[in-house]
Amino acid sequence: MSFACPTRDQRLVLDHVVRIAELGADGEIVDAVLEGAAAFAEGELAPLNRIGDTVRARHDGDAVRMPPGFVDAYRAFVAGGWQTVAAPQEAGGQGLPLALGAAVMEDLNAANLAFALCPMLSIGAIEALARFGSDQQKRDYLPRIVSGEWPATMNLTEPQAGSDVGALKTRAEPAGDGSWRITGTKIYITYGEHDLADNIIHLVLARTPDAPAGTRGISLFLVPKLLPDGRRNAIVCASIEHKLGIHASPTCVLNYDGATGWLVGEERGGMRAMFAMMNNARLNVGLQGVGIAERATQRALAFAAERIQGAPATDPAGAAVAIAEHADVRRMLLRMRALTMGARALTYAAFGEIDRAATGDTAAADRAALLTPLAKAWGTDVGCEVASLGVQVHGGMGYVEETGAAQHLRDARIAPIYEGTNGIQAADLVQRKLSLGNGDAFDSLIADIRAEAEDERLVALTDSVEILAATLRNATVEDRLAGSYPFLTMTSVLVAGWLLERLGRAMEAAGEADEFSRGRRSAIDYFLAAVVPEALGLGAAAGAGAELLYRVPASALA
Ligand SMILES: Cc1cc2nc3c(=O)[nH]c(=O)nc-3n(C[C@H](O)[C@H](O)[C@H](O)COP(=O)(O)OP(=O)(O)OC[C@H]3O[C@@H](n4cnc5c(N)ncnc54)[C@H](O)[C@@H]3O)c2cc1C
């Protein structure tokens, strides 16, 4: 089934949600980027999605071979300048808004999630090096990561240090010449080794001598696969993981055996630098949910239009019709489209706030920080739900592999886990973001929604979220965390509903009445009529507190 990038949806969100014209982006450039990215994603990447899933990345000695077609596609990606879109101009980037770069990444994710992870990690590394790198690092490494010539990785996780990054043990010893020797084992390192490029730039968290325990003692190091003199650094890929999905993305165990590295930013300032990388990556993971949801929706729509099964309920003796005519299939398709649109609006909005923050707008910086856990967690939950609905629409053909619907579900499932699990995002929301700027970040978001929301269900959800926020702020830590996940979902649906309502109004005002506009507006109506009230119903769970969760030990649930 062919895939078409959703350029018209993207343009609508960029115009009316992000308001990209305010960010100085010329409309013709926006269109050119959207069309070019779509051509690349549809033409080069989408055809490799299935090959990547079946052939997979292969570990061979300490080398990793990518599936057929991936090396050429990566060359085309670099030649097309796709890594450079939103990268800083002083490092060779095009300096376009991150929100436009988000549309490019959505296309790559939708076409081939496993491929897209490689450029996604480089985007985070560019951010970290641009902000914290030394002049020499900015000269020797940054431009080559920006061009895509040398892709980058992000090395946090160790066997004993997953969500608890502060438990990491990898050591960094000064070598006496300004460099450091890095020793330790990192696991689950995405694109830690591959043959897409000669060099790979690893950004590695490690602990320097006498560093305090926990995150305060962590520093960030740049550790290249190839040293400046061309020799191979002391990094070995011991194995790659066998996974549920994203089979073409090599997930590596990397052994650092006294590898040469250089400090990025200040010693013991690693978490600050890493957060620059991670916040960016978190939004990009939210976009993975959007991309997969779009692809799964398109696949389900195509299948439902062709699969003939059963007479219509209104004419039981009549001829069998396409399943898209049956009410429950129609429900699933509408829900898939509505959730995809909502996740796109929320995630692009967060990128737009980062663009505004770059001009010195501190309120926008706080808004971006607040929206980040929502976009990451809810965006990826949407990816999984929509991909699962996609399987359901296909019936038995969804559960067997040949339609591709199952691959989307398998691929989507990692996104709620990495870049800080969705549970960690919910904790971030209630522990840090609710009180950001003395609570102003959250309160101003609610005020903006109140000023614009018209639909009475959206207004009711606004009331409920605001009351819950007050309750959670005054609650014990245990009660606050117990309510964090349902609260995150409610807040995400509220923001998405607010932005979709605005999108619907803009389409109406423009007098657009073609099939696309009617379809999108009815998906928005569905979001307001069905998804928003569901979120309202989560209020009871969000406010129930820890007593409900801890009444018995987990062993009693066995
Ligand atoms: C395919 C893949 C690619 C990856 N790529 C990278 C990469 O490139 N670089 C990298 O550094 N890492 C990478 N990771 C690692 C990933 O970020 C971690 O798996 C993730 O952070 C979770 O850590 P964990 O697996 O140890 O789970 P755990 O931390 O053990 O979590 C298990 C469960 O407990 C919950 N939990 C744990 N602590 C808390 C808490 N304090 N509060 C509430 N709930 C909690 C979690 O939400 C989760 O549900 C990758 C992982 C995979 C599978």
Side-chain angles (χ1 to χ4, degrees), residues 117 121 153-165 186-192 241 243 245-246 249-252 274 414 416-424 427 481:
L117 270 155
L121 285 159
T153 70
M154 173 167 151
N155 292 236
L156 292 80
T157 308
E158 298 177 11
Q160 77 296 342
S163 299
D164 185 7
V165 181
K186 294 287 179 181
I187 63 168
Y188 298 150
I189 304 309
T190 298
Y191 279 91
E241 304 295 346
K243 315 190 288 293
I246 51 167
S249 167
T251 307
C252 304
M274 206 68 197
I414 183 58
I417 296 172
Y418 54 25
E419 287 310 334
T421 65
N422 284 2
I424 297 295
L481 289 170

Side-chain angles (χ1 to χ4, degrees), residues 225-267:
K225 173 178 167 181
L226 297 180
L227 292 165
D229 62 10
R231 278 180 307 126
R232 185 87 189 249
N233 208 346
I235 310 164
V236 171
C237 174
S239 61
I240 63 173
E241 304 295 346
H242 300 278
K243 315 190 288 293
L244 181 65
I246 51 167
H247 289 150
S249 167
T251 307
C252 304
V253 175
L254 292 186
N255 287 331
Y256 290 83
D257 188 11
T260 301
W262 289 271
L263 191 62
V264 178
E266 289 177 9
E267 190 178 347

Side-chain angles (χ1 to χ4, degrees), residues 11-93:
R11 184 69 212 250
L12 272 171
V13 174
L14 289 172
D15 284 345
H16 302 293
V17 171
V18 174
R19 295 175 170 145
I20 197 157
E22 293 173 9
L23 301 174
D26 176 82
E28 280 179 23
I29 290 181
V30 172
D31 281 337
V33 170
L34 292 181
E35 281 163 26
F40 175 72
E42 293 164 10
E44 302 271 350
L45 296 187
L48 298 179
N49 199 35
R50 184 103 179 105
I51 299 166
D53 189 48
T54 50
V55 178
R56 305 172 175 214
R58 307 264 170 179
H59 188 231
D60 173 11
D62 77 338
V64 172
R65 311 252 167 259
M66 294 298 288
F70 275 63
V71 172
D72 287 343
Y74 190 74
R75 283 200 190 113
F77 171 81
V78 174
W82 293 112
Q83 187 77 62
T84 68
V85 173
Q89 280 176 318
E90 54 278 19

Side-chain angles (χ1 to χ4, degrees), residues 519-542:
R520 294 308 185 266
R521 282 169 62 189
S522 72
I524 292 171
D525 288 345
Y526 177 88
F527 196 96
L528 296 172
V531 181
V532 166
E534 276 169 27
L536 198 54
L538 293 173

Side-chain angles (χ1 to χ4, degrees), residues 113 244 381 383-384 407-418:
L113 191 64
L244 181 65
D381 281 348
C384 290
Q407 185 190 346
H408 299 323
L409 180 57
R410 289 187 287 99
D411 285 354
R413 193 59 191 85
I414 183 58
I417 296 172
Y418 54 25

